Amino acid sequence: MSRSALAPLAVVAPILAACVVLVAGRRAPRLVIDVLATATAAGVAATTGFLAASTLGGRAVTWSGGWSPVGGRSVGVVLVADPLGAGLACLAGLLTAVAMLYSWRYLASLQAHYHTLVLLFLAGLVGFALTGDLFNMFVFFELMGAAAYALTALRIEEPDSVQGGLTFAVINSLGAYLSLMGVGLIYARTGELGLARIGRALGGQRADALVIVAFVLVVTGFLVKAAVAPMHFWLADAHAVAPAPICVLMSGVMVELGVYAVARVYTTAFAGVLPGGVLRTALLVPGLLTVTVGSGMCLIQRHIKRLLAYSTIAHTGLFVVAFAVLTPGSVAGAALYVLGHAGIKGALFLVTGLLLDRFGSVDERDLFGRGSRRDPGGWFFLAGGVALAGAPPLGPGIGKAVAEDAAGRAGYPWLVAAFVVGSAVTGGAVLRAGLRVFLGLGHPPQPPASETQGSGEQPETPSLVRAVPRTMLAAIVLLLLAGALPGVVPPLWVAAGRAARMFLDRTGYAGQTLDAAPPTPVAPLPGLGWTTTGVVLGLVSVTLAVAVALLGVYRPRRAGWRGPVRSPAPVELLHRLHSGHVGDYVAWLFLGVAVVGALIAVPLLAGR
C-alpha cells in the first residue's frame, strides 16, 4: 500500500469501525466490542506512526477522488501528512487505544454507544491533524467536537454531567462558528479553501482589515479548543464530569491540536501576509496569561480532576509560548513537550479515575490518608507530579529544556521563567495531592467556602472496586512509559528537529502539495537534546515543585479551627471569574477575540 493511501485509511477506518461496533453491539458480547475498538485504535496508531516516520524525507499528499492540481490550481480536497501532523494523529491513536484498554472494566451499562463515540472522536482528531483544507479543518473540528460533547455528558442522569457537557458544547460550538465566518471571509477574498492555495493567493499582499479579521476569526475556534485564556473556562467544567478515559484524550491530544491548528494555518496560509513579529506578540500575551491563570487555579484546587484540568491549561500556555518563538528549535521543543505531557497527564487522570471508582470521591480533603502506601497507583501519581515538573530525563523535561534553549537563542531568555515557574507550580500541586491522599502527610486542607468539592460523586464502574483490574493498571503503566520515553530516546529528538523544520517550510509545503515538487532534504537541528543548562533548570523546577507541595501540606493552620476559611482576595477573585455560567464564559470568549484582534491589527494598521 502506498503512502498516499495511508492518510485516508487512518481517517476512514475508525468511522467504519464505529458503524460496525454500533450494529454488532446489539448482539455481540462486550468483550468482542472492547477488542474491536481497541484494535481499531491501535491500527490507526500503527498506520499514522509509519506515516510519520516515512514522511521525514518528504510529505505524503493525497488528493481525494484523484482531483490532483493542474498547473498549480486545484478543486479537490487534500490530505497532507508531514511528520508533525502524522505524529499527532499517531498520538491520538495511541491514547485512544490505551483509553479503550482502560475501559474494558468500565461503564459496562453503556454497551457499544461509548465505543462508537470514542471511535468517531478518533476519526475527527486524525482528520483534523492531516487535512490540508481550511474548510475540512472546520468539518473535522465539528466531528471531534460533537463526539466529545456527548462523551463528556455521558451520564445524562447526573445534572453536573449535563451542565459540563452543555458548557463545553456551547463555548466550543460558538468558537467553531466564528472560525467558519473567517473561512467564508478568506474564501470571498481568495476563492480558495486549500491552505497552500490560500498561502499563494495572499503571498506578498498587504494585510488589510478583511484579511486580519478573517485570520482572527479562523484561529478563534482553535484557541477556544486549546483553552487559551481568557477562552479557557469551559475546560475544567468539562474535565470534572467527563469519564477518566475521555479526559486522557481531551487533555492529551484534543487541546494540543488547537495549538497545532493555529500554527498550521499561520505557517501555510497567512505567513506571507502577516509578519512573524506581530503573530509572536499576539500569541505570547495570551500564552503567558494562560500559564499564569492555569497555574494559579491549579494550585488552589481540592477537586483532583479540576486540578489536573487547570494543569493542562497551564501547560497549553507553555506550548503556545514555545510556538510563538517561531524557530525550528522552539517548535521541536513544543512537539517533544506535547508527547511527554500526553502520557504523564493521561496516567494521572486514570489514577484519579481509580480513586473515584474505589472511594466515590476525587476530593483531596475527603480522600486524605485513604490511599495506601502499598498502592502502586499512589507511587504512579507521585511520579507523574515529578515528571510534570520537568524532571530530567523524562519526556516533559526534554520538551521544556529544548523550548527554554530555543527561547534563549531567539533573544527571549526571560521566557525561561515562565517554563520553570509554570511547570513547578503545576507539578507541586499534583505532588501535594498525592502526598495527602496516598501518604497521609500533613493535615487535611481547610476548605475555603468558594472551593469546588469533589466528594459524593458516582463511581464510573458498576460498583466500587476493591482491587485494581489488570487492564486498568496496564493502561496507566503504558502511559507513564510513553510519557517518559521522549526524554531518553535520542532518535525522537532528531525526528522532532526535522519535523519542526519541515513544518515551518511553507514554500516546500506549497510545492509538494500543488506542484508535485520533489521534497527538499531536511537536515537535523544541531545540538537538540539535553544540555547542562536544561538539566539544571529541570532540577530547579523539581526542587520548587517539592517546596510548593511541602508548603501546601505543612502550611500552618489555626489551632482548633475546623470550619471553612476565607480565601485571600486574589483567590476569591479567581473563583468568582470561573463562575460556571455559560453567559459569563461567552463574554470572556468575545473579550479574548477582541484582545487577539487588537494585538494583530494595531501594529499592522499603525505601521502604514
Side-chain angles (χ1 to χ4, degrees), residues 305-558:
K305 289 180 75 175
R306 285 182 176 274
L307 184 155
L308 296 176
Y310 283 115
S311 169
T312 295
I313 292 173
H315 282 90
T316 300
L318 294 178
F319 304 152
V320 172
V321 168
F323 170 72
V325 177
L326 282 177
T327 65
S330 67
V331 174
L336 292 170
Y337 211 159
V338 166
L339 287 177
H341 172 268
I344 299 300
K345 183 60 64 63
L348 289 171
F349 269 114
L350 294 188
V351 173
T352 305
L354 288 180
L355 289 174
L356 178 59
D357 296 336
R358 291 181 63 187
F359 303 110
S361 174
V362 288
D363 188 282
E364 187 178 336
R365 179 181 175 84
D366 186 53
L367 292 171
F368 179 77
R370 296 178 69 180
S372 171
R373 294 173 185 243
R374 293 176 295 178
D375 184 356
W379 298 108
F380 293 156
F381 196 88
L382 293 173
V386 173
L388 282 186
L394 304 178
I398 184 63
K400 171 179 170 292
V402 172
E404 289 168 343
D405 182 68
R409 291 176 183 272
Y412 302 94
W414 52 273
L415 288 177
V416 172
F419 286 95
V420 172
V421 174
S423 57
V425 171
T426 54
V430 172
L431 286 174
R432 182 203 69 206
L435 292 175
R436 279 177 170 159
V437 172
F438 294 100
L439 301 184
L441 298 184
H443 49 75
Q446 299 179 32
S450 58
E451 279 193 0
T452 303
Q453 301 181 16
S455 58
E457 298 197 7
Q458 294 296 318
E460 296 169 342
T461 48
S463 60
L464 293 178
V465 297
R466 295 184 179 181
V468 179
R470 292 181 180 179
T471 51
M472 290 183 171
L473 191 61
I476 295 170
V477 172
L478 287 173
L479 286 178
L480 283 175
L481 291 176
L485 280 179
V488 294
V489 181
L492 278 178
W493 312 344
V494 177
R498 286 181 170 172
R501 278 188 162 168
M502 190 181 298
F503 184 81
L504 295 175
D505 179 18
R506 60 185 296 265
T507 302
Y509 183 97
Q512 279 195 258
T513 302
L514 299 175
D515 305 324
T520 304
V522 179
L525 284 177
L528 193 68
W530 288 108
T531 62
T532 301
T533 302
V535 172
V536 170
L537 289 174
L539 294 176
V540 169
S541 294
V542 174
T543 303
L544 290 176
V546 172
V548 168
L550 293 178
L551 182 62
V553 168
Y554 292 111
R555 64 183 177 184
R557 62 186 300 183
R558 291 169 56 185

Side-chain angles (χ1 to χ4, degrees), residues 184-202:
L185 289 176
I186 205 64
Y187 181 71
R189 166 56 59 87
T190 64
E192 303 290 349
L193 290 173
L195 294 174
R197 287 296 307 159
I198 293 172
R200 283 193 174 176
L202 294 179

Side-chain angles (χ1 to χ4, degrees), residues 130-303:
L130 297 180
T131 185
D133 184 274
L134 189 57
F135 180 75
N136 279 306
M137 290 189 84
F138 167 78
V139 172
F140 287 118
F141 185 109
E142 285 295 275
L143 176 59
M144 78 165 91
Y149 308 152
L151 288 166
T152 299
L154 204 56
R155 295 184 290 181
I156 58 174
E157 70 280 0
E158 298 181 17
D160 289 345
S161 178
V162 174
Q163 181 180 0
L166 180 63
T167 300
F168 181 11
V170 169
I171 301 302
N172 278 261
S173 295
L174 184 57
Y177 299 146
L178 290 175
S179 289
L180 184 60
M181 292 172 60
V183 173
L185 289 176
I186 205 64
Y187 181 71
R189 166 56 59 87
T190 64
E192 303 290 349
L193 290 173
L195 294 174
R197 287 296 307 159
I198 293 172
R200 283 193 174 176
L202 294 179
Q205 295 187 16
R206 297 184 65 180
D208 58 17
L210 187 147
V211 172
I212 295 172
V213 171
F215 177 74
V216 172
L217 290 175
V218 166
V219 301
T220 290
F222 305 146
L223 292 175
V224 171
K225 187 70 73 179
V228 171
M231 297 172 275
H232 68 286
F233 293 90
W234 63 270
L235 187 136
D237 290 347
H239 279 66
V241 299
I246 306 309
C247 292
V248 173
L249 299 179
M250 291 197 296
S251 265
V253 66
M254 185 189 76
V255 170
E256 288 76 5
L257 277 176
V259 182
Y260 163 83
V262 175
R264 175 67 78 189
V265 168
Y266 173 74
T267 55
T268 56
F270 288 89
V273 68
L274 297 176
V278 173
L279 181 76
R280 183 177 295 113
T281 302
L283 291 182
L284 281 180
V285 172
L288 292 172
L289 177 63
T290 304
V291 176
T292 303
V293 173
S295 299
M297 287 298 294
C298 176
L299 191 61
I300 61 178
Q301 297 299 309
R302 57 185 277 200
H303 189 295

